Amino acid sequence: MMNLMMLSDAQQVIGRLWSEDPPQEQRRVLLLARDALDFISASGQWYPFQDFREGHGPHDSSTSLEESPARSGLLARTTQFFESLLDEPSTVDARAHIQTILDALRFISATRQGKSLEEFIQRTESNDPPMVVASFETKEQADDWLKSHPSPPVFAEVLIGNSYHDVVYDRATNFRRLPRNRHFEWYLGWLEQNDPPVASASFATRDEAETWLKNQAHPPPRTWVLIAGEFYLAVFHPNVNHRALYPISMAIRDVL
């Protein structure tokens, strides 16, 4: 049976180590471990990761040729750091979670996902919109995709129109759903506070803005624009070639 808390429990170990005010190099190691766990979750690879841990699938953990030398070196140091923790008496209660971190690093290397992890980290560091793994124009198209998918990317997110939906899938029962979530609305509220809107372009109508966004050869993952005096976030998901405009009025703001 899949332990749904497996990755989040491992994140707790990273959080405790971070709270001890580690040196800069160790911070880089902890950030890579955090991002590796987040990548597996956001890309919907819970079941492939579980299968990997149980001895199924590829187990060549050599560094992918797609990785940059700097990232591959950091990956090796991160692996060595957590391997050393397994031998420390103080980590007895956390060893299962440390092993999860090590398995996550080895899973990414064995499945040659170094480049994808790098891209995910770049998006995270740039505070880009939440990752999606697929995009559909209609709910019917999304439902057909989910129904026919041999192994849906559980807990990943997809776009239906411009709305975010979770991929819910239980392998044991074959239960499948695509419930709407408000992840993007929370993100938009956070972004408004942490990157106050400054328009990179201004338009009289939404149609003009959509035409402009459609005609951009290589739009940034996100940029603020003004449409009839209101801020919108122009978003581009390169992995699914999806472009969208979201009004700032959608934002969910923290209530203190």
Side-chain angles (χ1 to χ4, degrees):
M1 180 178 293
M2 188 175 190
N3 177 8
L4 298 180
M5 300 300 293
M6 174 175 56
L7 298 182
S8 60
D9 286 345
Q11 292 282 21
Q12 294 297 318
V13 173
I14 296 170
R16 286 197 296 271
L17 292 169
W18 186 273
S19 69
E20 296 171 0
D21 193 23
Q24 185 61 34
E25 176 59 23
Q26 188 174 322
R27 286 173 179 262
R28 296 181 65 212
V29 160
L30 295 176
L31 287 174
L32 180 60
R34 178 204 66 183
D35 291 339
L37 295 171
D38 283 345
F39 169 71
I40 290 172
S41 180
S43 56
Q45 297 187 77
W46 288 69
Y47 282 123
F49 178 53
Q50 181 189 33
D51 292 343
F52 175 84
R53 300 193 79 200
E54 293 175 354
H56 309 296
H59 275 76
D60 177 8
S61 60
S62 59
T63 301
S64 169
L65 296 177
E66 295 179 317
E67 294 180 41
S68 68
R71 188 72 69 187
S72 62
L74 180 58
L75 179 61
R77 294 195 299 276
T78 302
T79 301
Q80 292 167 3
F81 171 77
F82 283 100
E83 285 177 340
S84 70
L85 289 184
L86 288 176
D87 298 325
E88 293 186 8
S90 61
T91 65
V92 171
D93 294 339
R95 284 178 184 170
H97 307 319
I98 293 171
Q99 189 61 56
T100 297
I101 296 169
L102 287 167
D103 289 343
L105 298 170
R106 291 165 181 157
F107 170 74
I108 290 169
S109 290
T111 52
R112 295 294 191 265
Q113 295 188 82
K115 184 177 180 181
S116 296
L117 174 61
E118 282 207 58
E119 292 171 350
F120 177 80
I121 291 172
Q122 289 169 2
R123 290 182 62 86
T124 299
E125 291 176 345
S126 299
N127 297 321
D128 290 339
M131 175 181 174
V132 297
V133 298
S135 174
F136 308 95
E137 292 184 5
T138 68
K139 182 69 161 56
E140 290 73 20
Q141 291 174 345
D143 286 339
D144 287 344
W145 167 83
L146 182 65
K147 182 179 179 180
S148 62
H149 201 297
S151 182
V154 60
F155 299 141
E157 294 180 281
V158 300
L159 289 172
I160 301 178
N162 291 333
S163 299
Y164 276 72
H165 292 250
D166 294 315
V167 178
V168 177
Y169 169 59
D170 181 77
R171 188 160 62 181
T173 63
N174 200 32
F175 180 84
R176 303 170 184 228
R177 291 291 186 275
L178 292 170
R180 172 84 158 84
N181 69 44
R182 306 190 76 184
H183 191 183
F184 187 85
E185 286 86 338
W186 284 106
Y187 162 78
L188 195 59
W190 177 91
L191 189 67
E192 181 186 16
Q193 284 190 326
N194 291 273
D195 183 13
V198 176
S200 62
S202 180
F203 307 94
T205 67
R206 181 160 183 158
D207 285 344
E208 291 178 4
E210 288 177 344
T211 299
W212 167 82
L213 183 58
K214 180 180 179 181
N215 291 335
Q216 296 295 306
H218 301 287
R222 63 174 176 88
T223 188
W224 292 106
V225 299
L226 270 177
I227 302 176
E230 181 181 3
F231 280 107
Y232 281 67
L233 190 68
V235 171
F236 175 52
H237 294 281
N239 62 316
V240 295
N241 194 29
H242 185 88
R243 305 166 192 231
L245 292 165
Y246 296 93
I248 200 169
S249 58
M250 288 178 55
I252 297 176
R253 299 169 177 88
D254 291 334
V255 178
L256 299 179

